[in-house]
Amino acid sequence: MTRLSTRTLATLPGSIRKPAYDRYRVQTGIVHLGIGAFHRAHAAVYTDDVLAAGDLAWGIIGASLRSPDTRDALQPQNGLYAVNIRGGGGEEVRVIGAVRDVLVAPENPAALLAVMAEPGVRIVSLTVTEKGYCHNPATGELDPDHPDIRYDLVHPGAPRSAPGFIVEALARRRAAGTRPFTVLPCDNLPANGAVTKRVLVGLAALRDPELGRYLEAELACPSTMVDRIVPATTDADRDRVAGLLGVADSWPVLAEPFTQWVVEDHFPAGRPDWPGVTFVSDVEPFEFMKLRLLNGSHSTMAYLGYLSGCETIAEAVRQDGMERLVRRMMDDEITPTLPRLPGFDLPAYKDQLFARFRNPALKHRTWQIAMDGSQKLPNRLLGPARERIAQGLPIERIALGVAAWMRYATGIDEAGAPIDLRDPLAAELRSRADAAGRDPDRLVDALLGVRQMFGTDLPNESRFRDPVRTWLATLFERGAAETVRIAAAL
Ligand code: CS2
């Protein structure tokens, strides 16, 4: 089958939305680090709208920090790819032209640094997942012992980490008299702008205190809240999209119809006028709302659902008792921890979340969400747990989410089969869990000893440890599906 490309764009069915702007005239205004499916289905779509509205200064050069897969898929397609939007009411395909090129950082770090140093680049955005910030999730500070950070300190001109690339590019711009670009983190971290700035200033200061002070004074890192559910693309999805396009796309992305981007409006070097973005002076209330309600529920359903044998979130949320359990967690335990958002209809937001979770057209795998739990849980569940404990409030349902993660982290499912545990701390989790065995007391203490997740306070806090331990025992004795029913009936 012929491939999607500039040449074949004209052959697409008329009903398909595609770039109508002159792609040859688009300039590079944004470098995006970590060009995975999420960016292509989220920020790149908003930027495609900017180009379509006639502002051609904001083309994107994407970079993969690890594998060449995205470049290999998109380069023969001149950067073009399809977004397949699937909702209850049907589906839509749209071809995005905002990505001008994809670089593979490890193959040629110098090429990426050269692009980042170009004066026309005014924004460097990131979707590198929680672990890509090389910080300690429990403190939000740069982890100076992170292997990539240690490497980058020795090899600043050929770095490995996202912070390493950004700091080196900013140092080069400074030396050349070019103003800094704005750094725009688009990952699910609370206060992601502040965390990013702390990490970058921290790394710069380790290289050169003067550079650290310069970035502290000059660098803008606005916080953002990003939201769109984007399941991993499968071969069946590729076939389906090819059928709709009439040409092959090696790597289309899937998404739900819902999309949201709330951005702190602090771009000293300028920004595109992204249609549909909510620009605010303080993103924090939105971030907490989304991270704790959506992502906190996602993780809870992912672990309980996976252990109960549910492949997708749509299946998990339909499990007996799950929706009731998660609603009670949202309403009784999470919502009271959220900063107020005057005028915002929170009940409607929560109803909409359940409609999104139930979306049967999206096969969003529980296993995909279960990944990297050591990085995700601190923001999603442990933060609200801490706040509630400090106020003397119960955390029954949050504790079940944490216990389900612990049960999952044993690496063996309820049928005795191995779980493909993907986590930067997987080796440590497995060895702690193996040493503890299935005794809930020993297991809970072994895993609470992971400082990067639980800090030094939670392991010694009986109001945290006790409910987690009780749920862990129930999960072992009764299994996850039955535990969900028990918890829903509380
Ligand atoms: C999910 C998120 O994989 C996960 O951890 O919770 O990717 C989630 O789908 C997005 O944050 C939705 O915006």
Side-chain angles (χ1 to χ4, degrees):
M1 197 176 205
T2 8
R3 189 94 172 253
L4 176 64
S5 71
T6 314
R7 208 169 40 78
T8 57
L9 207 50
T11 68
L12 301 185
S15 58
I16 290 176
R17 185 165 164 198
K18 61 187 181 194
Y21 49 88
D22 182 355
R23 292 188 77 224
Y24 291 106
R25 290 182 43 230
V26 173
Q27 310 290 309
T28 302
I30 301 174
V31 171
H32 184 80
L33 305 183
I35 181 152
F38 182 76
H39 174 71
R40 294 201 281 132
H42 188 260
V45 178
Y46 288 86
T47 302
D48 196 61
D49 287 338
V50 170
L51 302 177
D55 185 354
L56 300 183
W58 298 103
I60 301 168
I61 299 274
S64 297
L65 296 178
R66 301 272 174 265
S67 103
D69 297 357
T70 304
R71 188 270 320 270
D72 292 351
L74 295 200
Q75 224 161 46
Q77 300 178 182
N78 311 110
L80 296 167
Y81 63 91
V83 181
N84 182 190
I85 299 160
R86 295 184 186 169
E91 69 183 324
E92 182 198 323
V93 189
R94 168 173 172 187
V95 173
I96 302 298
V99 178
R100 305 192 63 217
D101 200 0
V102 179
L103 305 178
V104 182
E107 281 180 9
N108 192 348
L112 175 55
L113 286 168
V115 174
M116 292 171 79
E118 282 173 14
V121 171
R122 289 187 275 166
I123 295 175
V124 170
S125 51
L126 303 95
T127 47
V128 290
T129 78
E130 294 86 342
K131 61 181 178 284
Y133 290 81
C134 305
H135 70 307
N136 178 336
T139 63
E141 302 290 338
L142 174 76
D143 175 3
D145 295 323
H146 191 292
D148 289 350
I149 294 298
R150 289 167 74 150
Y151 181 93
D152 292 355
L153 284 168
V154 182
H155 305 95
R160 281 184 180 159
S161 72
F165 274 100
I166 295 173
V167 169
E168 175 63 14
L170 289 167
R172 291 186 186 187
R173 291 173 80 102
R174 183 181 181 221
T178 308
R179 72 182 304 173
F181 42 68
T182 298
V183 178
L184 190 66
C186 299
D187 286 288
N188 291 316
L189 299 171
N192 55 11
V195 168
T196 305
K197 182 149 179 180
R198 238 181 293 152
V199 163
L200 296 175
V201 169
L203 176 58
L206 288 177
R207 285 179 47 165
D208 165 10
E210 181 52 35
L211 183 62
R213 279 191 290 275
Y214 169 76
L215 293 189
E216 179 64 53
E218 299 295 329
L219 184 64
C221 300
S223 279
T224 64
M225 181 270 254
V226 295
D227 192 5
R228 189 168 218 184
I229 294 176
V230 180
T233 307
T234 65
D235 285 339
D237 300 323
R238 285 187 180 82
D239 291 347
R240 189 171 178 80
V241 169
L244 294 164
L245 291 176
V247 292
D249 178 352
S250 287
W251 207 340
V253 290
L254 313 184
E256 60 174 341
F258 182 93
T259 178
Q260 190 178 21
W261 199 7
V262 184
V263 178
E264 184 185 336
D265 201 0
H266 179 46
F267 291 79
R271 63 158 171 83
D273 190 11
W274 286 296
V277 168
T278 309
F279 289 102
V280 296
S281 58
D282 181 12
V283 175
E284 205 172 275
F286 292 95
E287 276 179 356
F288 276 121
M289 175 184 82
K290 189 261 170 172
L291 256 169
R292 294 183 173 185
L293 291 175
L294 188 158
N295 298 110
S297 306
H298 245 177
S299 290
T300 303
M301 291 190 290
Y303 297 117
L304 289 168
Y306 183 96
L307 293 167
S308 316
C310 300
E311 205 186 328
T312 65
I313 286 292
E315 279 171 55
V317 72
R318 283 188 169 78
Q319 231 189 306
D320 189 16
M322 186 71 94
E323 179 158 342
R324 182 175 157 79
L325 156 66
V326 174
R327 254 190 205 273
R328 297 285 307 272
M329 179 171 94
M330 285 186 183
D331 291 344
D332 300 355
E333 298 184 13
I334 304 279
T335 303
T337 72
L338 299 178
R340 280 176 46 73
L341 263 174
F344 189 85
D345 188 349
L346 205 53
Y349 178 79
K350 289 189 258 187
D351 287 344
Q352 187 185 34
L353 285 181
F354 281 102
R356 294 169 63 194
F357 295 152
R358 281 189 230 109
N359 182 347
L362 279 190
K363 305 252 175 289
H364 197 193
R365 293 178 67 197
T366 49
W367 177 80
Q368 186 185 348
I369 299 166
M371 248 184 258
D372 290 354
S374 70
Q375 314 295 302
K376 292 174 176 173
L377 253 57
N379 305 321
R380 300 178 177 197
L381 296 177
L382 306 181
R386 258 192 198 93
E387 288 169 27
R388 286 185 64 80
I389 289 168
Q391 292 167 29
L393 299 169
I395 56 155
E396 274 311 298
R397 298 171 186 87
I398 297 177
L400 173 54
V402 178
W405 169 77
M406 289 187 171
R407 174 66 190 82
Y408 183 90
T410 64
I412 305 287
D413 72 13
E414 293 184 357
I419 298 173
D420 182 3
L421 189 66
R422 301 281 176 96
D423 194 293
L425 301 186
E428 179 181 351
L429 300 175
R430 288 295 290 272
S431 76
R432 283 176 179 268
D434 287 350
R438 295 195 157 217
D439 176 70
D441 279 293
R442 292 184 55 190
L443 184 57
V444 93
D445 290 332
L447 291 174
L448 284 178
V450 182
R451 286 254 173 118
Q452 280 209 35
M453 288 186 74
F454 297 102
T456 48
D457 55 338
L458 290 177
N460 301 312
E461 174 53 75
S462 60
R463 288 171 295 176
F464 180 75
R465 183 197 176 275
D466 292 351
V468 174
R469 186 238 162 253
T470 305
W471 282 124
L472 192 55
T474 312
L475 284 166
F476 278 128
E477 281 160 25
R478 313 287 286 271
E482 181 61 23
T483 305
V484 169
R485 281 191 283 272
I486 295 170
L490 280 183

